[in-house]
Amino acid sequence: MQLERMLQSQGFGTRRECRALVRMERVAVRGETMDDPFADIDTVDLDFSVDDVPWRYQEKAYVLLHKPAGYECSQKPKHHPAVFALLPPQLVTRGLQCVGRLDEDTTGLLLLTDDGQFIHRLTSPKHGVLKRYVATTKHPVDDAQLAALRGGVELNDAPGVSVAAHAVEQIDANHLSITIGEGRYHQVKRMIAAAGNRCEALHRAAVGRLELPDDLAPGQWRWIDPNDI
Ligand code: URA
């Protein structure tokens, strides 16, 4: 692939901007400084750098972000900054989108990608990819609430439909681990409310087989292999 096209595909700007980066000798490929924007580059296992910042060529970008509270999963945030503000501008330029949304005050594992099929597979109710949350409740959890969450509760926008958690475990008096397969609007908070309690804080710990890594601080992100989900 032509060098300037490769840079453009990775979010470094328009072709003209990428051409200028190369002409200014700000780009190195496999350790070698480049000056020809039209050089043919093999993109397999490609390490390159721009202004000495290392990058690896990614045909599609798959990113895991430890979402902190106070960020919106929206391209047009209303009251708080967007999660995209936590990512390098190259990833935003190449059009990363959130794989489902977390509420502004929800923390934890958020996936972002520019692979539309991947978003569809992970968010479509047909596939029912499991999402595990840790919820902090206002009142101590009791057996009736656990039974309601396991057996199914009715949400106000779907009367007559019983929505059950895939799994619910009590962690301690005011903490629940709750796993769901769908992704309805405010689903976990509304299920806990419908069971007779109140969700005071919500944290997503896992999506499919992928757990939020312990060493990834709030606000930090890393590349992931989509096959790990
Ligand atoms: N359920 C909610 O209520 N909020 C989230 O952010 C995610 C799931």
Side-chain angles (χ1 to χ4, degrees), residues 12 19 24 30 37 46 50 58 78 80 86 90 106 109 128 130 149 168 183 195 208 217 220-221 225 227 229:
F12 286 87
R19 191 176 309 160
M24 287 186 278
R30 299 188 172 94
L46 171 60
V50 179
Q58 315 273 351
K78 291 204 179 95
H80 301 272
L86 298 165
Q90 290 79 9
T106 300
L109 194 166
L130 297 178
L149 291 168
V168 181
Q220 288 187 338
W221 67 275
D225 180 340
N227 298 315
I229 297 175

Side-chain angles (χ1 to χ4, degrees), residues 67-179:
K67 180 189 173 297
Y71 287 83
E72 293 182 26
C73 291
S74 166
Q75 302 278 0
K76 291 189 183 142
K78 291 204 179 95
H79 305 292
H80 301 272
V83 287
F84 304 102
L86 298 165
L87 300 173
Q90 290 79 9
L91 294 184
V92 182
T93 304
R94 64 182 285 181
L96 249 65
Q97 294 178 41
C98 299
V99 182
R101 289 184 174 201
L102 292 179
D103 298 335
E104 168 273 316
D105 56 351
T106 300
T107 59
L109 194 166
L110 178 67
L111 299 172
L112 300 106
T113 183
D114 54 3
D115 180 345
Q117 282 187 354
F118 180 82
I119 294 178
H120 178 71
R121 251 183 292 133
L122 261 83
T123 54
S124 114
K126 196 176 86 191
H127 292 103
V129 175
L130 297 178
K131 288 145 301 236
R132 182 162 57 80
Y133 295 86
V134 174
T136 308
T137 58
K138 178 166 183 173
H139 311 288
V141 178
D142 62 31
D143 289 345
Q145 292 165 10
L146 292 173
L149 291 168
R150 289 182 184 129
V153 290
E154 201 173 293
L155 301 179
N156 48 11
D157 62 349
V161 180
S162 173
V163 180
H166 178 85
V168 181
E169 305 295 334
Q170 183 157 10
I171 300 170
D172 59 31
N174 289 72
H175 290 94
L176 284 176
S177 164
I178 175 163
T179 304

Side-chain angles (χ1 to χ4, degrees), residues 149 153 155 163-165 178 180 187-195:
L149 291 168
V153 290
L155 301 179
V163 180
I178 175 163
I180 58 172
Q187 181 168 337
V188 174
K189 291 175 186 168
R190 290 195 299 144
M191 286 176 74
I192 291 172

